[in-house]
Amino acid sequence: MLLKWAAIDQDRKILEAIIIGCKEQDRQSQQELYRNFYSYGMSICLRYTGSEADAVEVLNDGFLKIFKSIEKFDIEKSFKPWLRRILVNTCIDHIKKNAKHNHLVDITEAAVESTTQEAPDHNLDYQEILTKIGELSPAYRAVFNLYVIDGFKHHEIAEQLGITTSTSKANLTRAKAALRAMLGKEEYQYG
């Protein structure tokens, strides 16, 4: 157990050194930070964009923001949540920029369908789940990710995306229904 704590402490010291290098605008430190957090960042960006090409673009934009604002990062705090917040906000900016292509549904009340149907038993891995989420429309995907995965409230989502709270609720309801339908088709095809 002592070795585990020593390794964690060593990893923290390495990350601190990389961040300090980034604060000094050291290119090698920036490359090391990018390399160490590339997979983590891509997983976030893929959930929001739905395509690898868009995810890479958003990830690179996010890292540019990180490098420009790294001076504001408090080295005493955990880095991963700070990085995550910047990447999520960059994804939201990307969604807003492409809003003309996203069809947001605006209704006053989201009709919530109740069902007695049991959820299909799937053994989907992480990549398969990402693929299913990526098949949602951009509007549904954004709200689903923000609400279900990142834990935002509907009023926060509405503010960030420039939509109404009821639109956020409706898009979440429809995203869940679309995912259920996709999973139901899969069960029917393979069951």
Side-chain angles (χ1 to χ4, degrees):
M1 186 62 126
L2 186 58
L3 289 174
K4 181 180 177 183
W5 289 112
I8 290 171
D9 189 47
Q10 181 66 24
D11 288 347
R12 178 149 175 83
K13 287 179 182 177
I14 291 169
L15 179 59
E16 284 179 10
I18 292 170
I19 292 171
I20 290 168
C22 288
K23 287 184 176 195
E24 295 170 354
Q25 298 180 354
D26 175 59
R27 297 285 290 150
Q28 188 174 359
S29 295
Q30 291 172 338
Q31 289 173 346
E32 193 65 25
L33 189 73
Y34 185 86
R35 189 181 63 73
N36 282 317
F37 288 96
Y38 177 85
S39 294
Y40 176 71
M42 271 300 281
S43 68
I44 293 168
C45 296
L46 267 172
R47 280 191 294 109
Y48 282 92
T49 62
S51 80
E52 194 167 336
D54 286 343
V56 169
E57 178 186 337
V58 172
L59 180 67
N60 288 333
D61 290 346
F63 267 100
L64 283 174
K65 290 177 183 179
I66 288 164
F67 294 140
K68 287 180 180 178
S69 61
I70 195 105
E71 281 297 320
K72 298 174 187 172
F73 176 70
D74 180 358
I75 200 85
E76 297 299 319
K77 295 188 177 176
S78 182
F79 181 72
K80 221 172 185 179
W82 185 78
L83 174 128
R84 178 186 184 88
R85 174 59 98 182
I86 290 174
L87 291 178
V88 167
N89 287 336
T90 305
C91 290
I92 291 168
D93 291 345
H94 177 78
I95 291 165
K96 286 179 182 177
K97 185 173 82 176
N98 296 307
K100 62 184 170 207
H101 305 293
N102 301 343
H103 304 291
L104 297 171
V105 178
D106 193 5
I107 59 174
T108 55
E109 287 293 322
V112 179
E113 297 176 20
S114 64
T115 180
T116 57
Q117 184 179 2
E118 286 187 36
D121 184 24
H122 294 282
N123 293 320
L124 299 175
D125 66 16
Y126 178 75
Q127 192 57 47
E128 291 170 321
I129 292 169
L130 272 182
T131 301
K132 294 295 179 197
I133 293 171
E135 292 174 12
L136 293 171
S137 74
Y140 295 172
R141 184 174 53 242
V143 173
F144 182 86
N145 280 312
L146 288 167
Y147 187 85
V148 174
I149 297 174
D150 291 320
F152 286 90
K153 305 286 185 223
H154 283 294
H155 70 276
E156 296 170 317
I157 296 168
E159 185 178 306
Q160 289 183 327
L161 296 179
I163 59 177
T164 66
T165 301
S166 60
T167 299
S168 177
K169 290 176 182 179
N171 285 349
L172 177 63
T173 299
R174 291 180 178 168
K176 287 179 178 180
L179 285 172
R180 273 194 297 277
M182 283 186 251
L183 294 173
K185 281 184 194 175
E186 183 178 280
E187 181 180 48
Y188 180 73
Q189 289 174 349
Y190 300 109

